[in-house]
């Protein structure tokens, strides 16, 4: 409010308070998608339509998608210790595989990604190759994709280039994967993308609306009735601090829960 720290610093501070750090891929710092415009030749940071709706989680960015997730929530009966527990999302917005897939062109994330994938890169069509198509998947097209971003999207152009010349495969349409495809307004320049993306994060619009997203990720809309109302509930296993593993006597269920948390992500501690 006093403009004494940047939005970036504020988000890093909140991530740290919530127990997230660069030291743990399963609890890596989480940052929001802030833009919704990945098609224009120039980026207009004075137009509200340029930005993502920060008051809604990624699963509710379009009316149709929001309706489908609410329908899923209403169709599932409440059940404890069951993989079909009542929730809007069975996938998470930040996990080890999401972090490694974004940063796969840089070590040590390359090796991490391959080890999580069983020793090799993923099918080329599923690899992170385009900012625009990733936004469309996470905000509109893919019901199992609600991922947010990592801090690197706002300061590190190197993760967008395949400087190590990894053979990432070839997509079904014949596109050979190399550098990440950038929006037209970046002019194919990773440095320009980072510069404009950081300007968007620090813009007046994001400054005025960022608290809504913080409520969803770190605050009172994280769980309970406020989360249900905000279409922001995740599988119970994702709420690590809400689950008492000592109460689970069955070792098979316990290992399933632990595997679920480590593979699919964790909700940050509420701050």
């Amino acid at each position: 409010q006093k403009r004494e720290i940047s939005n970036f610093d504020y988000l890093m501070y909140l991530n740290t308070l919530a127990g997230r750090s660069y030291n743990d891929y399963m609890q890596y710092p989480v940052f929001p998608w802030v833009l919704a415009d990945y098609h224009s030749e120039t980026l207009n940071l004075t137009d509200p339509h340029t930005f993502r709706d920060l008051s809604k989680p990624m699963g509710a960015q379009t009316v149709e998608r929001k309706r489908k997730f609410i329908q899923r929530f209403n169709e599932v009966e409440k059940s404890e210790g069951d993989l079909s527990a009542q929730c809007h999302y069975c996938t998470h917005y930040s996990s080890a595989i999401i972090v490694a897939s974004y940063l796969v062109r840089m070590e040590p994330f390359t090796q991490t990604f391959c080890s999580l994938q069983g020793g090799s890169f993923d099918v080329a069509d599923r690899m992170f190759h385009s900012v625009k198509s990733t936004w469309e998947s996470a905000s509109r097209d893919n019901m199992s994709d609600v991922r947010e971003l990592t801090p690197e999207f706002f300061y590190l152009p190197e993760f967008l280039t395949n400087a190590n010349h990894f053979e990432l495969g070839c997509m079904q349409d014949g596109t050979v994967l190399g550098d990440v495809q950038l929006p037209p307004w970046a002019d194919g320049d990773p440095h320009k993308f980072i510069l404009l993306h950081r300007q968007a994060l620090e813009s007046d619009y994001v400054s005025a609306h960022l608290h809504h997203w913080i409520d969803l990720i770190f605050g009172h809309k994280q769980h309970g009735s406020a989360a249900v109302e905000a279409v922001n509930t995740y599988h119970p296993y994702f709420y690590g601090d809400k689950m008492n593993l000592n109460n689970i006597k069955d070792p098979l269920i316990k290992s399933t829960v632990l595997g679920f948390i480590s593979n699919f992500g964790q909700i940050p501690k509420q701050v």
Side-chain angles (χ1 to χ4, degrees):
Q1 285 181 330
K2 294 179 181 177
R3 303 294 173 104
E4 290 176 2
I5 63 169
S6 64
N7 289 337
F8 183 91
D9 288 339
Y10 183 41
L11 287 171
M12 282 304 298
Y13 181 67
L14 287 172
N15 271 287
T16 303
L17 280 178
R20 302 182 83 86
S21 80
Y22 290 118
N23 299 324
D24 185 350
Y25 294 167
M26 290 181 284
Q27 296 190 85
Y28 206 76
V30 56
F31 269 60
W33 288 95
V34 292
L35 293 172
D37 181 354
Y38 298 96
H39 55 269
S40 297
E41 294 294 328
T42 56
L43 197 59
N44 183 0
L45 296 180
T46 61
D47 181 359
H49 295 103
T50 299
F51 297 92
R52 165 255 180 105
D53 187 341
L54 287 160
S55 69
K56 296 185 176 74
M58 288 304 290
Q61 289 296 308
T62 69
V63 174
E64 177 63 15
R65 188 165 150 101
K66 180 179 178 182
R67 185 189 62 77
K68 285 180 181 174
F69 280 121
I70 291 173
Q71 184 180 350
R72 173 194 281 177
F73 181 88
N74 291 333
E75 283 174 356
V76 179
E77 293 293 321
K78 283 186 180 174
S79 51
E80 284 296 320
D82 186 352
L83 291 178
S84 62
Q86 187 177 37
C87 60
H88 293 109
Y89 314 116
C90 295
T91 54
H92 200 259
Y93 48 76
S94 176
S95 65
I97 194 67
I98 289 171
V99 171
S101 68
Y102 278 145
L103 306 174
V104 69
R105 290 163 178 79
M106 295 190 314
E107 291 289 13
F109 301 97
T110 313
Q111 293 303 315
T112 302
F113 183 83
C114 289
S115 66
L116 289 170
Q117 283 291 339
S120 63
F121 292 119
D122 199 359
V123 177
D125 286 82
R126 289 204 298 259
M127 295 280 286
F128 172 53
H129 67 278
S130 158
V131 178
K132 178 175 181 280
S133 64
T134 303
W135 160 256
E136 289 171 349
S137 170
S139 67
R140 187 186 71 200
D141 297 340
N142 186 346
M143 289 292 283
S144 62
D145 183 2
V146 293
R147 72 191 123 162
E148 295 278 7
L149 300 180
T150 63
E152 286 80 2
F153 276 82
F154 300 95
Y155 70 83
L156 190 69
E158 285 77 11
F159 87 96
L160 297 164
T161 61
N162 187 20
N164 293 317
H165 306 292
F166 293 119
E167 293 185 8
L168 302 171
C170 183
M171 295 171 65
Q172 287 183 346
D173 64 5
T175 304
V176 177
L177 262 58
D179 297 346
V180 176
Q181 294 171 13
L182 302 174
W185 45 259
D187 297 327
D189 181 351
H191 289 83
K192 185 172 181 180
F193 172 83
I194 295 293
L195 175 70
L196 291 172
H197 204 215
R198 182 64 174 266
Q199 286 178 0
L201 178 66
E202 305 299 342
S203 67
D204 288 341
Y205 179 90
V206 172
S207 296
H209 295 86
L210 188 59
H211 63 285
H212 295 303
W213 184 82
I214 290 167
D215 286 343
L216 294 168
I217 307 298
F218 302 107
H220 77 286
K221 292 182 181 175
Q222 198 189 70
H223 56 80
S225 59
V228 175
E229 198 174 319
V231 194
N232 192 43
T233 65
Y234 296 81
H235 194 281
Y237 292 171
F238 294 151
Y239 298 87
D241 58 340
K242 297 285 182 289
M243 289 204 66
N244 190 344
L245 292 173
N246 295 326
N247 291 342
I248 302 174
K249 302 296 181 230
D250 188 324
L252 186 62
I253 294 177
K254 195 169 190 172
S255 67
T256 302
V257 173
L258 286 169
F260 206 87
I261 293 168
S262 62
N263 286 319
F264 295 107
Q266 280 175 271
I267 302 290
K269 290 175 185 169
Q270 193 172 17
V271 296

